[in-house]
Amino acid sequence: MALLTTNNLNKIKEDMEKNKTLIEKLTNKNLTQLYESIYNTYYKSECVGIIPITCGNGIISGFAESIFYTLQLVNINAFITKNTDVSGYYEAIDKKADIVIMADDETYLSYNLKNKKMSNNQQATARIYSEILININENIIKGSKFINLQKEVLIIGVGNVGKHAIQTFLNNNYKTYIYDIDKRKLNKLTEQYPQLIIFDFKLENKFLKIFEATQNENTVPESVLLDNTIISTPGIPRALSEILQKKYNINLIMEPLGLGTISMLYEVFENK
Ligand code: NAD
Ligand code: 2YH
């Protein structure tokens, strides 16, 4: 599994500000409204304890701080424990955290100590990045001559994150195309969901909406792009070169940690 690096996180403030503005423009909702509408939960003023974890590859410098910054951006009260691991967990509870959030090399989770709801980063990340595409404001699409494509999506990369996005698009009756370099994954998924279409680049389909979740760069080929295509991509590194982004005026939703982290909290907040 790909591990985040300090380098991935060094522009988190700039990345989150940019994405927040773009998402608000595209969905006509601020981040809080968007998350509340997705999960039907709300922030009651719970306090979140962020616990640094040293096992495996150890502390990623800037990881806990990036979570802290992200939560500040959406006015969620949080603190980073001074201690790590089990001692950090003890400290979080001692300091009256309602929710704890922490990651080792395999799993990044949040857990609500009161209502016992738990969230996993891969699923939560898939949910917010797919819901952004589903929540695109109609006025943005209305002007497009490709309005007939508004309920079609291409998912590139159906690993741990991408496979969770499938369900969200199918639940919203999207014509869902999937593509992965690992053909076994595609075949397995079409057995599970017969309505999925395995994407064939020879067909020359183009998309208004693309979801990308791979660990490789430049995975979105030029042939699928339209002017103003919206690409929602948690994948690291960049799914699309800056040259193609400019050429097609692509709306690119992309950052390494924050949107999925907020999703992990709304998933464990109390129901409205
Ligand atoms: P994964 O390894 O489980 O899945 C990646 C999938 O991409 C694999 O199925 C692989 O075969 C496929 N793939 C690789 N290159 C491809 C290509 N050129 N074209 C099509 N498919 C290709 O990884 P994952 O856990 O699903 O994570 C995917 C990416 O998302 C990673 O970069 C990870 O770091 C990132 N991620 C980001 C966030 C965030 O908050 N932004 C959160 C979780 C994961
Ligand atoms: O980046 C990771 C793993 N790939 C799991 C994320 C799932 N998308 N973990 C971060 C490790 C953080 C470290 N233990 C710390 O600084 O606490």
Side-chain angles (χ1 to χ4, degrees):
M1 177 183 298
L3 204 61
L4 271 174
T5 64
T6 300
N7 216 18
N8 296 146
L9 298 170
N10 64 10
K11 290 204 287 85
I12 188 82
K13 290 193 182 182
E14 192 187 322
D15 287 346
M16 281 304 291
E17 289 290 351
K18 252 200 237 164
N19 278 280
K20 184 171 179 277
T21 307
L22 179 59
I23 293 165
E24 286 174 3
K25 184 187 118 194
L26 291 174
T27 65
N28 214 12
K29 293 184 180 119
N30 66 38
L31 284 187
T32 303
Q33 289 168 331
L34 180 64
Y35 282 102
E36 284 190 0
S37 71
I38 294 170
Y39 286 109
N40 200 29
T41 56
Y42 72 109
Y43 177 52
K44 237 178 28 180
S45 74
E46 292 91 337
C47 180
V48 180
I50 305 163
I51 306 167
I53 298 292
T54 65
C55 68
N57 284 290
I59 302 285
I60 297 172
S61 169
F63 183 75
E65 294 77 7
S66 298
I67 298 174
F68 181 74
Y69 165 73
T70 296
L71 298 189
Q72 270 188 324
L73 190 69
V74 284
N75 301 313
I76 295 175
N77 182 17
F79 65 93
I80 303 173
T81 59
K82 293 192 176 60
N83 295 290
T84 63
D85 309 298
V86 177
S87 304
Y89 191 84
Y90 184 91
E91 179 187 335
I93 295 170
D94 195 45
K95 289 186 174 159
K96 309 276 180 264
D98 302 294
I99 295 171
V100 287
I101 190 161
M102 58 190 146
D104 66 10
D105 295 350
E106 289 297 319
T107 303
Y108 175 22
L109 68 77
S110 70
Y111 181 61
N112 188 324
L113 297 154
K114 300 249 160 78
N115 63 16
K116 309 218 184 312
K117 289 193 202 175
M118 183 168 74
S119 170
N120 180 297
N121 174 257
Q122 288 159 341
Q123 203 160 340
T125 300
R127 184 76 192 270
I128 181 62
Y129 276 85
S130 49
E131 290 279 3
I132 289 167
L133 292 176
I134 287 161
N135 278 274
I136 299 299
N137 178 10
E138 272 184 20
N139 291 332
I140 303 273
I141 311 265
K142 246 186 209 160
S144 165
K145 54 184 175 190
F146 303 107
I147 191 162
N148 57 318
L149 300 180
Q150 68 172 317
K151 288 203 96 176
E152 295 191 7
V153 69
L154 170 61
I155 301 180
I156 301 179
V158 287
N160 291 313
V161 175
K163 71 177 179 200
H164 287 296
I166 290 173
Q167 194 65 59
T168 310
F169 288 112
L170 292 182
N171 286 347
N172 285 276
N173 300 317
Y174 268 60
K175 187 168 181 183
T176 304
Y177 293 82
I178 54 172
Y179 178 73
D180 198 292
I181 47 172
D182 183 342
K183 305 290 171 255
R184 286 166 310 175
K185 286 187 183 169
L186 296 173
N187 293 332
K188 211 169 143 201
L189 282 162
T190 48
E191 272 170 32
Q192 191 180 353
Y193 305 106
Q195 63 274 57
L196 288 175
I197 306 160
I198 295 181
F199 185 66
D200 179 353
F201 285 97
K202 287 189 224 110
L203 294 178
E204 295 183 3
N205 295 49
K206 295 188 185 293
F207 293 86
L208 264 183
K209 299 181 180 183
I210 298 174
F211 178 102
E212 193 269 3
T214 81
Q215 70 280 44
N216 289 321
E217 64 182 344
N218 299 329
T219 52
V220 180
E222 182 167 5
S223 60
V224 297
L225 299 175
L226 291 166
D227 267 340
N228 301 118
T229 288
I230 304 158
I231 304 182
S232 191
T233 169
I236 307 167
R238 284 182 75 95
L240 188 79
S241 69
E242 286 187 58
I243 296 172
L244 285 183
Q245 184 182 0
K246 282 207 184 96
K247 182 171 172 187
Y248 291 90
N249 199 17
I250 301 295
N251 293 293
L252 196 62
I253 296 130
M254 173 187 74
E255 57 68 50
L257 182 72
L259 294 171
T261 296
I262 304 170
S263 201
M264 291 166 69
L265 290 169
Y266 273 86
E267 202 168 314
V268 302
F269 285 160
E270 296 292 342
N271 291 343
K272 276 189 180 172

